[in-house]
Amino acid sequence: VQLQASGGGLVQPGGSLRLSCVASGFTLDYAIAWFRQAPGKEREWVSCISTSPSTTYYRDSVKGRFTISRDNANDTVYLQMSSLKPEDTGVYYCGATEGKVTVCPIVSYDYWGQGTQVTVSS
């Protein structure tokens, strides 16, 4: 199993970025979550998307600004981030757990991508 995260970069406050997480090697359905870690802080959960149905969940601070979606044909999960704020800065990781998952915020994630840096600064 492999996860490949990409799409990070430097953006001004109010800007947008789209992160991608490409998954490979899974034999069953899988749920994907995005986490982030700011310098000097612990990793925190940001958003996730369950298996069928593809229910989505967000932490309160990103609701209305971030959108998670999945393209099953290409085994890719996206995190569209808009109205970015400096406090969104950090390394973003995608994590995955295999099997049927209906409430993705409460499961543990077994597989991880390498992380992609997001910096929101003027």
Side-chain angles (χ1 to χ4, degrees):
V1 171
Q2 286 190 329
L3 299 174
Q4 183 72 34
S6 63
L10 172 63
V11 63
Q12 291 187 341
S16 299
L17 282 174
R18 189 178 76 162
L19 306 184
S20 300
C21 177
V22 180
S24 62
F26 290 98
T27 57
L28 301 173
D29 284 345
Y30 53 92
I32 294 282
W34 286 97
F35 291 75
R36 66 187 179 190
Q37 187 166 19
K41 295 188 177 181
E42 293 187 354
R43 186 178 297 190
E44 65 181 16
W45 172 83
V46 176
S47 178
C48 64
I49 185 163
S50 296
T51 59
S52 299
S54 295
T55 308
T56 58
Y57 299 83
Y58 303 91
R59 70 180 299 111
D60 286 346
S61 62
V62 307
K63 283 181 181 177
R65 301 189 297 122
F66 290 13
T67 303
I68 190 170
S69 61
R70 68 191 303 159
D71 176 356
N72 289 327
N74 292 299
D75 291 318
T76 302
V77 170
Y78 301 100
L79 185 68
Q80 178 68 48
M81 306 186 296
S82 303
S83 302
L84 282 162
K85 304 176 180 180
E87 51 263 43
D88 295 317
T89 293
V91 179
Y92 282 68
Y93 300 89
C94 57
T97 186
E98 195 168 17
K100 182 176 174 60
V101 176
T102 54
V103 185
C104 53
I106 64 172
V107 301
S108 60
Y109 289 84
D110 305 310
Y111 306 100
W112 295 92
Q114 82 287 5
T116 184
Q117 176 71 46
V118 171
T119 303
V120 184
S121 175
S122 55

